[in-house]
Amino acid sequence: MSVNIAANLKLINDKIRDAEKRAGRPEGSVKLMAVSKFHPSEDVLSAIEAGQFLFGENRVQEAFEKFPPIIEAHPDTELHMIGVLQSNKVKNAVKVGSCIESVDRLSLLDEIEKQCAKIDKKIKVLFEFHTGEESKSGFESQEELEEALTAIKDGKYPHVIPSGFMTMAPFTEDKNRVRKSFVMLRELAQRMKEKYPDFEMNELSMGMSGDFEIAIEEGSTLVRVGTAIFGERDYSK
Ligand SMILES: *Cc1c(COP(=O)(O)O)cnc(C)c1O
């Protein structure tokens, strides 16, 4: 089935602007990331043609094959890595990405620092926090997260720029549980910003195709939308 990517982007952008308005938030306070995993380069290029420049991928190998030529041809393009990241994939992840949204353990920072130092690149990171029962990824406790933030504050990771937080809500029809997960991330972010005022951790990456409007009501600054832009993913590929 063919998908009209430009029309979908317009629709989602309109819904984002409406949700901002309903929530009493300034227009443009929420950014849209187009999650292009499992979709080919041509789809990414269609999105770029329609004015979309921020993308997300969750598999390093796929991103590393797809994005360097696209970024070379369209230097305004930005890619965030949003999936569970194994340490042996960090090298390519920091080469192709401008932000790692899925930092879920202290040891990952060691590897990010090491690989970024090698190529003399500073990289933004978001701390993924576990807020929903079904999803498995993310820091499990505030203590672990504080350990990471304190280590950055102490100068252990000079190439790492802590920029905010990310979560995935549980996959459920129960909107209250989805909302609770977003509220939990917002409140955590607030506590961390008070405790670590030197860092500008203003990014709240939350909301996907099925729940981005709730996420915007609860303070999201960045929604990660795949299916509603590019159509269903074909996992058999
Ligand atoms: C795939 C993915 C998305 C996009 O999901 P859709 O439901 O297709 O919008 C968002 N965030 C993460 C972390 C993902 O892996």
PDB file of all heavy atoms in Angstrom, residues 33 35 37 58 82-83 128 166-168 171 207-210 224-228 231 233 235, ligand 1:
ATOM      1  N   MET A  33       9.838  14.221  15.720  1.00  0.00           N
ATOM      2  CA  MET A  33      10.854  13.332  15.160  1.00  0.00           C
ATOM      3  C   MET A  33      10.149  12.283  14.296  1.00  0.00           C
ATOM      4  O   MET A  33       9.178  11.677  14.729  1.00  0.00           O
ATOM      5  CB  MET A  33      11.625  12.615  16.270  1.00  0.00           C
ATOM      6  CG  MET A  33      12.455  11.449  15.736  1.00  0.00           C
ATOM      7  SD  MET A  33      12.921  10.308  17.030  1.00  0.00           S
ATOM      8  CE  MET A  33      14.005  11.377  17.932  1.00  0.00           C
ATOM      9  N   VAL A  35      10.295   8.737  12.932  1.00  0.00           N
ATOM     10  CA  VAL A  35      11.001   7.482  13.215  1.00  0.00           C
ATOM     11  C   VAL A  35      10.957   6.594  11.972  1.00  0.00           C
ATOM     12  O   VAL A  35       9.912   6.055  11.617  1.00  0.00           O
ATOM     13  CB  VAL A  35      10.385   6.761  14.432  1.00  0.00           C
ATOM     14  CG1 VAL A  35      11.114   5.447  14.686  1.00  0.00           C
ATOM     15  CG2 VAL A  35      10.447   7.649  15.672  1.00  0.00           C
ATOM     16  N   LYS A  37      12.756   3.822  11.155  1.00  0.00           N
ATOM     17  CA  LYS A  37      13.252   2.435  11.225  1.00  0.00           C
ATOM     18  C   LYS A  37      12.421   1.514  10.344  1.00  0.00           C
ATOM     19  O   LYS A  37      11.198   1.667  10.274  1.00  0.00           O
ATOM     20  CB  LYS A  37      13.227   1.945  12.673  1.00  0.00           C
ATOM     21  CG  LYS A  37      11.840   1.872  13.274  1.00  0.00           C
ATOM     22  CD  LYS A  37      11.913   1.653  14.780  1.00  0.00           C
ATOM     23  CE  LYS A  37      10.539   1.375  15.353  1.00  0.00           C
ATOM     24  NZ  LYS A  37      10.455   1.543  16.790  1.00  0.00           N
ATOM     25  N   ASN A  58      16.261   3.085  15.591  1.00  0.00           N
ATOM     26  CA  ASN A  58      16.569   2.330  16.811  1.00  0.00           C
ATOM     27  C   ASN A  58      17.613   1.234  16.616  1.00  0.00           C
ATOM     28  O   ASN A  58      18.061   0.651  17.584  1.00  0.00           O
ATOM     29  CB  ASN A  58      15.301   1.776  17.457  1.00  0.00           C
ATOM     30  CG  ASN A  58      14.719   0.616  16.695  1.00  0.00           C
ATOM     31  OD1 ASN A  58      14.962   0.478  15.490  1.00  0.00           O
ATOM     32  ND2 ASN A  58      13.957  -0.218  17.378  1.00  0.00           N
ATOM     33  N   ILE A  82      17.418   5.960  19.163  1.00  0.00           N
ATOM     34  CA  ILE A  82      16.362   5.843  20.175  1.00  0.00           C
ATOM     35  C   ILE A  82      16.191   4.424  20.728  1.00  0.00           C
ATOM     36  O   ILE A  82      15.338   4.200  21.564  1.00  0.00           O
ATOM     37  CB  ILE A  82      15.001   6.324  19.609  1.00  0.00           C
ATOM     38  CG1 ILE A  82      14.586   5.493  18.381  1.00  0.00           C
ATOM     39  CG2 ILE A  82      15.051   7.811  19.256  1.00  0.00           C
ATOM     40  CD1 ILE A  82      13.203   5.840  17.855  1.00  0.00           C
ATOM     41  N   GLY A  83      17.011   3.484  20.250  1.00  0.00           N
ATOM     42  CA  GLY A  83      16.798   2.099  20.681  1.00  0.00           C
ATOM     43  C   GLY A  83      17.802   1.644  21.727  1.00  0.00           C
ATOM     44  O   GLY A  83      18.798   2.312  21.994  1.00  0.00           O
ATOM     45  N   GLU A 128      17.041   7.553  29.414  1.00  0.00           N
ATOM     46  CA  GLU A 128      15.772   6.834  29.285  1.00  0.00           C
ATOM     47  C   GLU A 128      15.385   6.291  30.654  1.00  0.00           C
ATOM     48  O   GLU A 128      16.198   5.669  31.343  1.00  0.00           O
ATOM     49  CB  GLU A 128      15.908   5.689  28.281  1.00  0.00           C
ATOM     50  CG  GLU A 128      14.585   4.953  28.115  1.00  0.00           C
ATOM     51  CD  GLU A 128      14.615   3.901  27.017  1.00  0.00           C
ATOM     52  OE1 GLU A 128      15.662   3.723  26.366  1.00  0.00           O
ATOM     53  OE2 GLU A 128      13.557   3.264  26.831  1.00  0.00           O
ATOM     54  N   MET A 166      13.899  10.621  28.390  1.00  0.00           N
ATOM     55  CA  MET A 166      13.067   9.918  27.412  1.00  0.00           C
ATOM     56  C   MET A 166      12.351   8.761  28.095  1.00  0.00           C
ATOM     57  O   MET A 166      12.886   8.168  29.032  1.00  0.00           O
ATOM     58  CB  MET A 166      13.979   9.399  26.299  1.00  0.00           C
ATOM     59  CG  MET A 166      13.277   8.736  25.140  1.00  0.00           C
ATOM     60  SD  MET A 166      13.054   6.961  25.316  1.00  0.00           S
ATOM     61  CE  MET A 166      13.885   6.397  23.852  1.00  0.00           C
ATOM     62  N   THR A 167      11.133   8.473  27.632  1.00  0.00           N
ATOM     63  CA  THR A 167      10.475   7.260  28.114  1.00  0.00           C
ATOM     64  C   THR A 167       9.549   6.697  27.052  1.00  0.00           C
ATOM     65  O   THR A 167       9.216   7.369  26.070  1.00  0.00           O
ATOM     66  CB  THR A 167       9.681   7.512  29.422  1.00  0.00           C
ATOM     67  OG1 THR A 167       9.472   6.254  30.077  1.00  0.00           O
ATOM     68  CG2 THR A 167       8.331   8.160  29.167  1.00  0.00           C
ATOM     69  N   MET A 168       9.177   5.441  27.255  1.00  0.00           N
ATOM     70  CA  MET A 168       8.133   4.809  26.456  1.00  0.00           C
ATOM     71  C   MET A 168       7.000   4.441  27.403  1.00  0.00           C
ATOM     72  O   MET A 168       7.220   3.762  28.400  1.00  0.00           O
ATOM     73  CB  MET A 168       8.663   3.549  25.774  1.00  0.00           C
ATOM     74  CG  MET A 168       9.548   3.853  24.577  1.00  0.00           C
ATOM     75  SD  MET A 168      10.307   2.372  23.891  1.00  0.00           S
ATOM     76  CE  MET A 168       9.004   1.815  22.817  1.00  0.00           C
ATOM     77  N   PHE A 171       2.306  -0.168  26.391  1.00  0.00           N
ATOM     78  CA  PHE A 171       1.428  -0.374  25.240  1.00  0.00           C
ATOM     79  C   PHE A 171       0.077  -0.849  25.737  1.00  0.00           C
ATOM     80  O   PHE A 171      -0.136  -2.030  25.969  1.00  0.00           O
ATOM     81  CB  PHE A 171       2.038  -1.412  24.282  1.00  0.00           C
ATOM     82  CG  PHE A 171       3.352  -0.971  23.716  1.00  0.00           C
ATOM     83  CD1 PHE A 171       4.541  -1.482  24.212  1.00  0.00           C
ATOM     84  CD2 PHE A 171       3.391  -0.027  22.696  1.00  0.00           C
ATOM     85  CE1 PHE A 171       5.763  -1.060  23.696  1.00  0.00           C
ATOM     86  CE2 PHE A 171       4.610   0.397  22.184  1.00  0.00           C
ATOM     87  CZ  PHE A 171       5.792  -0.123  22.686  1.00  0.00           C
ATOM     88  N   GLY A 207       6.007  10.226  23.792  1.00  0.00           N
ATOM     89  CA  GLY A 207       4.878  10.224  22.873  1.00  0.00           C
ATOM     90  C   GLY A 207       5.256   9.588  21.554  1.00  0.00           C
ATOM     91  O   GLY A 207       6.307   9.899  20.988  1.00  0.00           O
ATOM     92  N   MET A 208       4.403   8.663  21.078  1.00  0.00           N
ATOM     93  CA  MET A 208       4.597   7.968  19.805  1.00  0.00           C
ATOM     94  C   MET A 208       3.294   8.091  19.010  1.00  0.00           C
ATOM     95  O   MET A 208       2.403   8.840  19.407  1.00  0.00           O
ATOM     96  CB  MET A 208       4.977   6.492  20.064  1.00  0.00           C
ATOM     97  CG  MET A 208       6.148   6.400  20.998  1.00  0.00           C
ATOM     98  SD  MET A 208       6.745   4.786  21.571  1.00  0.00           S
ATOM     99  CE  MET A 208       6.212   3.605  20.381  1.00  0.00           C
ATOM    100  N   SER A 209       3.183   7.337  17.900  1.00  0.00           N
ATOM    101  CA  SER A 209       1.988   7.483  17.051  1.00  0.00           C
ATOM    102  C   SER A 209       0.684   7.403  17.836  1.00  0.00           C
ATOM    103  O   SER A 209      -0.242   8.173  17.591  1.00  0.00           O
ATOM    104  CB  SER A 209       1.971   6.396  15.971  1.00  0.00           C
ATOM    105  OG  SER A 209       2.988   6.633  15.030  1.00  0.00           O
ATOM    106  N   GLY A 210       0.626   6.480  18.790  1.00  0.00           N
ATOM    107  CA  GLY A 210      -0.643   6.225  19.461  1.00  0.00           C
ATOM    108  C   GLY A 210      -0.927   7.105  20.665  1.00  0.00           C
ATOM    109  O   GLY A 210      -2.064   7.111  21.171  1.00  0.00           O
ATOM    110  N   ARG A 224       8.047  11.172  19.104  1.00  0.00           N
ATOM    111  CA  ARG A 224       8.732  10.247  18.187  1.00  0.00           C
ATOM    112  C   ARG A 224       7.683   9.444  17.428  1.00  0.00           C
ATOM    113  O   ARG A 224       7.109   8.510  17.956  1.00  0.00           O
ATOM    114  CB  ARG A 224       9.632   9.298  18.983  1.00  0.00           C
ATOM    115  CG  ARG A 224      10.567   9.984  19.986  1.00  0.00           C
ATOM    116  CD  ARG A 224      11.395   8.947  20.743  1.00  0.00           C
ATOM    117  NE  ARG A 224      10.568   7.932  21.366  1.00  0.00           N
ATOM    118  CZ  ARG A 224      10.128   7.978  22.624  1.00  0.00           C
ATOM    119  NH1 ARG A 224      10.444   8.982  23.409  1.00  0.00           N
ATOM    120  NH2 ARG A 224       9.368   7.008  23.103  1.00  0.00           N
ATOM    121  N   VAL A 225       7.436   9.842  16.190  1.00  0.00           N
ATOM    122  CA  VAL A 225       6.315   9.259  15.452  1.00  0.00           C
ATOM    123  C   VAL A 225       6.816   8.501  14.226  1.00  0.00           C
ATOM    124  O   VAL A 225       7.510   9.068  13.376  1.00  0.00           O
ATOM    125  CB  VAL A 225       5.320  10.367  15.041  1.00  0.00           C
ATOM    126  CG1 VAL A 225       4.174   9.771  14.237  1.00  0.00           C
ATOM    127  CG2 VAL A 225       4.781  11.081  16.284  1.00  0.00           C
ATOM    128  N   GLY A 226       6.477   7.226  14.153  1.00  0.00           N
ATOM    129  CA  GLY A 226       6.878   6.402  13.018  1.00  0.00           C
ATOM    130  C   GLY A 226       5.693   6.022  12.153  1.00  0.00           C
ATOM    131  O   GLY A 226       5.486   6.558  11.058  1.00  0.00           O
ATOM    132  N   THR A 227       4.892   5.101  12.649  1.00  0.00           N
ATOM    133  CA  THR A 227       3.797   4.515  11.876  1.00  0.00           C
ATOM    134  C   THR A 227       2.858   5.558  11.267  1.00  0.00           C
ATOM    135  O   THR A 227       2.456   5.431  10.109  1.00  0.00           O
ATOM    136  CB  THR A 227       2.997   3.556  12.776  1.00  0.00           C
ATOM    137  OG1 THR A 227       3.918   2.678  13.440  1.00  0.00           O
ATOM    138  CG2 THR A 227       2.013   2.734  11.971  1.00  0.00           C
ATOM    139  N   ALA A 228       2.524   6.579  12.022  1.00  0.00           N
ATOM    140  CA  ALA A 228       1.557   7.569  11.534  1.00  0.00           C
ATOM    141  C   ALA A 228       2.128   8.423  10.400  1.00  0.00           C
ATOM    142  O   ALA A 228       1.389   9.110   9.702  1.00  0.00           O
ATOM    143  CB  ALA A 228       1.080   8.462  12.683  1.00  0.00           C
ATOM    144  N   GLY A 231       3.693   4.687   7.720  1.00  0.00           N
ATOM    145  CA  GLY A 231       2.887   3.468   7.579  1.00  0.00           C
ATOM    146  C   GLY A 231       3.444   2.337   8.427  1.00  0.00           C
ATOM    147  O   GLY A 231       4.420   2.502   9.166  1.00  0.00           O
ATOM    148  N   ARG A 233       5.346  -0.948   9.707  1.00  0.00           N
ATOM    149  CA  ARG A 233       6.685  -1.480   9.422  1.00  0.00           C
ATOM    150  C   ARG A 233       6.597  -2.945   8.999  1.00  0.00           C
ATOM    151  O   ARG A 233       5.791  -3.691   9.534  1.00  0.00           O
ATOM    152  CB  ARG A 233       7.569  -1.356  10.676  1.00  0.00           C
ATOM    153  CG  ARG A 233       7.947   0.058  11.002  1.00  0.00           C
ATOM    154  CD  ARG A 233       8.765   0.170  12.269  1.00  0.00           C
ATOM    155  NE  ARG A 233       8.007   0.030  13.484  1.00  0.00           N
ATOM    156  CZ  ARG A 233       7.369   1.033  14.113  1.00  0.00           C
ATOM    157  NH1 ARG A 233       7.422   2.250  13.636  1.00  0.00           N
ATOM    158  NH2 ARG A 233       6.706   0.813  15.214  1.00  0.00           N
ATOM    159  N   TYR A 235       8.387  -6.079   9.402  1.00  0.00           N
ATOM    160  CA  TYR A 235       9.455  -6.665  10.229  1.00  0.00           C
ATOM    161  C   TYR A 235      10.073  -7.911   9.586  1.00  0.00           C
ATOM    162  O   TYR A 235      11.025  -8.458  10.098  1.00  0.00           O
ATOM    163  CB  TYR A 235       8.916  -7.004  11.618  1.00  0.00           C
ATOM    164  CG  TYR A 235       8.569  -5.794  12.445  1.00  0.00           C
ATOM    165  CD1 TYR A 235       7.250  -5.493  12.758  1.00  0.00           C
ATOM    166  CD2 TYR A 235       9.580  -4.951  12.913  1.00  0.00           C
ATOM    167  CE1 TYR A 235       6.927  -4.365  13.516  1.00  0.00           C
ATOM    168  CE2 TYR A 235       9.271  -3.834  13.681  1.00  0.00           C
ATOM    169  CZ  TYR A 235       7.952  -3.548  13.964  1.00  0.00           C
ATOM    170  OH  TYR A 235       7.632  -2.459  14.723  1.00  0.00           O
TER     171      TYR A 235
HETATM  172  C1  LIG B   1       9.583   2.629  16.926  1.00  0.00           C
HETATM  173  C2  LIG B   1       9.700   3.640  17.998  1.00  0.00           C
HETATM  174  C3  LIG B   1       8.873   4.783  17.995  1.00  0.00           C
HETATM  175  C4  LIG B   1       7.800   5.043  16.955  1.00  0.00           C
HETATM  176  O1  LIG B   1       6.710   4.210  17.141  1.00  0.00           O
HETATM  177  P1  LIG B   1       5.344   4.393  16.300  1.00  0.00           P
HETATM  178  O2  LIG B   1       4.338   3.707  17.144  1.00  0.00           O
HETATM  179  O3  LIG B   1       5.557   3.721  14.989  1.00  0.00           O
HETATM  180  O4  LIG B   1       5.075   5.840  16.168  1.00  0.00           O
HETATM  181  C5  LIG B   1       9.061   5.700  19.013  1.00  0.00           C
HETATM  182  N1  LIG B   1      10.002   5.521  19.980  1.00  0.00           N
HETATM  183  C6  LIG B   1      10.798   4.436  20.007  1.00  0.00           C
HETATM  184  C7  LIG B   1      11.797   4.314  21.092  1.00  0.00           C
HETATM  185  C8  LIG B   1      10.668   3.465  19.019  1.00  0.00           C
HETATM  186  O5  LIG B   1      11.474   2.390  19.074  1.00  0.00           O
END
